[in-house]
Amino acid sequence: MSIPKALVVDPFCYRQFSESECSKSYGGTVFTVPIAEFEEVVNARWNESNLVDGYAPFCKHIFIENDFTDAEVNILEINSENEKFLRTKYEARNSKELPVLTRFFPKDLVISDDKPLPKAKYLDLILYSREQIMKENESMGKENSEEMNSVPWGIVSIKAQNVDYEIPMTPITAMRNALGKEEGGSGVPIDRDAYMAAYEFWNRRKFRNIRQFWCSRTISPNDSTAAL
């Protein structure tokens, strides 16, 4: 008899797995481990007592040791040497969201064989409750996956990092969330103190993204029509 899952990778997070078409132009961490195998590992390590509160009641974190993927840390400190490589662009994470201005380092300009990124020690699994995911899907006219109807938590994002605690979300993400569910956010108002803490952290750091790719939250892992 199989043990019921507590966690499932939400379709919004498929872009972080190489088996998904969405991953091909996604600039963040992409895992080569299959989604099914990833879910098997994280559910085997599931312990409700390890849930850490997130930015809203429906958001939780679980931090697990990264001993089963080759994911690298993908945040760089901004300094006088690499600042000239910073780029900006307007982007949306899927076709329903409003594009917002982001900044990033092109990977080929800041990473090389003699300057590789270190392997991440931990994975921060960012979880949304089943109820919140259903609300957001309804607001954006999307269907809920059949599996999501039977599990309490969906993994909506995964951060590869070297610390076992939450790294602040980027300020623009907080702003996007405050826009509301209809525009791709969660509807949670901005907390000024949390926003300023995020600003202090991210003002001198940035992802080493290449470029982003619009990807629907409801596509299947093998959907070849993800590109807009």
Side-chain angles (χ1 to χ4, degrees):
M1 181 177 174
S2 61
I3 301 175
K5 287 182 179 180
L7 307 172
V8 64
V9 176
D10 184 80
F12 182 71
C13 194
Y14 286 168
R15 62 185 181 160
Q16 290 193 248
F17 291 87
S18 61
E19 68 186 83
S20 170
E21 189 73 16
C22 282
S23 71
K24 291 183 178 179
S25 296
Y26 175 60
T29 299
V30 175
F31 298 92
T32 55
V33 60
I35 293 175
E37 182 179 333
F38 189 93
E39 289 182 345
E40 182 178 353
V41 172
V42 298
N43 276 285
R45 300 183 184 185
W46 162 257
N47 186 330
E48 189 172 6
S49 65
N50 292 333
L51 287 174
V52 178
D53 289 343
Y55 75 101
F58 57 77
C59 177
K60 303 291 181 182
H61 296 257
I62 285 188
F63 301 91
I64 63 174
E65 187 177 351
N66 180 34
D67 56 3
F68 66 103
T69 85
D70 57 1
E72 301 170 330
V73 173
N74 69 341
I75 297 173
L76 293 179
E77 188 95 20
I78 299 171
N79 56 44
S80 58
E81 292 184 2
N82 62 28
E83 192 167 23
K84 61 186 177 183
F85 299 128
L86 272 175
R87 302 289 187 267
T88 61
K89 66 174 293 187
Y90 282 95
E91 66 180 7
R93 297 172 301 181
N94 60 56
S95 60
K96 299 290 186 179
E97 291 185 347
L98 291 175
V100 296
L101 186 65
T102 62
R103 63 179 185 170
F104 60 95
F105 284 120
K107 182 179 179 180
D108 58 341
L109 296 183
V110 294
I111 304 300
S112 61
D113 291 340
D114 59 335
K115 285 186 176 182
L117 290 170
K119 179 180 176 180
K121 296 178 181 178
Y122 299 96
L123 299 179
D124 174 9
L125 309 184
I126 302 175
L127 315 178
Y128 272 20
S129 69
R130 174 178 60 220
E131 293 76 18
Q132 178 66 17
I133 290 175
M134 289 180 172
K135 287 178 183 178
E136 293 190 16
N137 284 342
E138 181 180 359
S139 295
M140 301 183 77
K142 298 178 180 178
E143 295 183 1
N144 294 304
S145 66
E146 184 175 340
E147 194 170 30
M148 193 65 243
N149 292 325
S150 60
V151 297
W153 299 100
I155 301 171
V156 297
S157 186
I158 307 163
K159 291 182 179 179
Q161 54 191 55
N162 278 339
V163 294
D164 60 351
Y165 53 83
E166 181 184 3
I167 292 175
M169 71 170 66
T170 58
I172 198 63
T173 300
M175 285 191 173
R176 192 201 305 267
N177 281 336
L179 289 175
K181 302 180 185 68
E182 293 79 8
E183 305 299 344
S186 61
V188 175
I190 288 179
D191 179 304
R192 182 177 178 82
D193 291 339
Y195 182 92
M196 292 307 298
Y199 160 75
E200 292 295 336
F201 179 87
W202 287 107
N203 189 42
R204 299 308 305 172
R205 297 175 178 86
K206 205 57 207 157
F207 290 114
R208 52 91 177 141
N209 292 350
I210 306 170
R211 61 185 187 276
Q212 293 278 2
F213 183 84
W214 288 9
C215 168
S216 171
R217 183 168 188 151
T218 56
I219 63 165
S220 69
N222 299 312
D223 192 342
S224 60
T225 63
L228 291 180

